Amino acid sequence: NPCSASFGKYVRLRRNTQAEAAFEKIWTERGPDHAASEYRRLASRLVSTLMNAGAGRRFRASEPLAIDLPNGRVMVTPNEIAELPNGMIVLRRVRTGAKRSEEYDDLTYALYQLAGAAHFGRSFRLEALHLTDEVAEEVAITSRKLQNRKEKTEDMLKAITAGQFPTNLDAVRCPRCPHFFICAAI
């Protein structure tokens, strides 16, 4: 329908204009003084990408979703929860950076998947949005990987419950840790 297409374009343009105006206000109040034009251009592009990626969705408040596992409860708070016109729920993780090659092997995505299944059954999908490279895509996790990540989470919960917090020395990360100078492992 040409009228509804025109209306949809008008609504997107209006939302982008409103987002740009809100962004401009925040930028004026809190933006950096140095290299401002370069940062401003980048930030504006990120806001535009975020707004365009949300077109046609009705957003819900992003609230914590509980996953009850045998060794405890994990709370997952998606960056965005939206509903598509067909009623499908979308849980989306928004990242400012570019998509990494092994991005979806991260435990976080498996927890998003488990939380979505626990709360929305089969009527949801998991998405990732990478603002820097403007990649928005559905995340597919194999059942085997999902089961492995679930078991890893259960093992972590079991260790936490038992008070086991083994040190993991790392020559790169340790010096950046706020506990570096008082850590017994060092």
Side-chain angles (χ1 to χ4, degrees):
N1 181 347
C3 288
S4 64
S6 294
F7 181 72
K9 187 174 182 180
Y10 167 76
V11 169
R12 279 192 302 280
L13 181 61
R14 183 179 160 128
R15 281 188 186 144
N16 284 349
T17 303
Q18 289 172 335
E20 187 63 30
F23 172 73
E24 187 61 41
K25 182 177 187 267
I26 293 168
W27 187 264
T28 302
E29 293 172 4
R30 300 187 216 164
D33 295 330
H34 65 287
S37 65
E38 292 174 34
Y39 287 129
R40 172 69 175 81
R41 230 179 353 267
L42 173 63
S44 182
R45 195 180 99 225
L46 298 179
V47 168
S48 178
T49 299
L50 182 63
M51 293 303 298
N52 291 334
R57 296 168 183 224
R58 189 177 59 154
F59 288 91
R60 298 178 174 189
S62 186
E63 56 190 39
L65 306 173
I67 308 167
D68 289 315
L69 299 170
N71 294 316
R73 172 178 273 191
V74 176
M75 302 300 287
V76 176
T77 306
N79 297 127
E80 295 180 346
I81 301 176
E83 186 175 338
L84 299 177
N86 66 2
M88 176 74 68
I89 300 296
V90 178
L91 301 183
R92 185 157 61 181
R93 184 170 190 213
V94 179
R95 310 275 301 182
T96 55
K99 179 184 169 191
R100 295 174 289 125
S101 60
E102 303 296 320
E103 179 83 24
Y104 304 141
D105 286 340
D106 190 89
L107 181 63
T108 304
Y109 290 99
L111 293 174
Y112 268 60
Q113 182 75 33
L114 292 169
H119 290 270
F120 305 108
R122 297 168 71 70
S123 62
F124 91 98
R125 75 179 193 209
L126 175 58
E127 289 183 355
L129 172 60
H130 303 277
L131 297 175
T132 299
D133 54 7
E134 300 178 9
V135 172
E137 61 188 1
E138 187 170 354
V139 177
I141 302 172
T142 65
S143 57
R144 182 176 179 186
K145 278 189 180 181
L146 190 61
Q147 183 60 36
N148 288 342
R149 303 299 184 276
K150 185 176 178 181
E151 289 171 7
K152 180 178 180 179
T153 302
E154 289 176 4
D155 290 345
M156 291 166 72
L157 288 171
K158 185 176 182 180
I160 290 169
T161 303
Q164 299 172 352
F165 302 97
T167 56
N168 184 11
L169 297 178
D170 183 317
V172 174
R173 291 190 311 190
C174 284
R176 297 179 182 155
C177 176
H179 307 289
F180 180 71
F181 292 107
I182 58 170
C183 180
I186 303 294

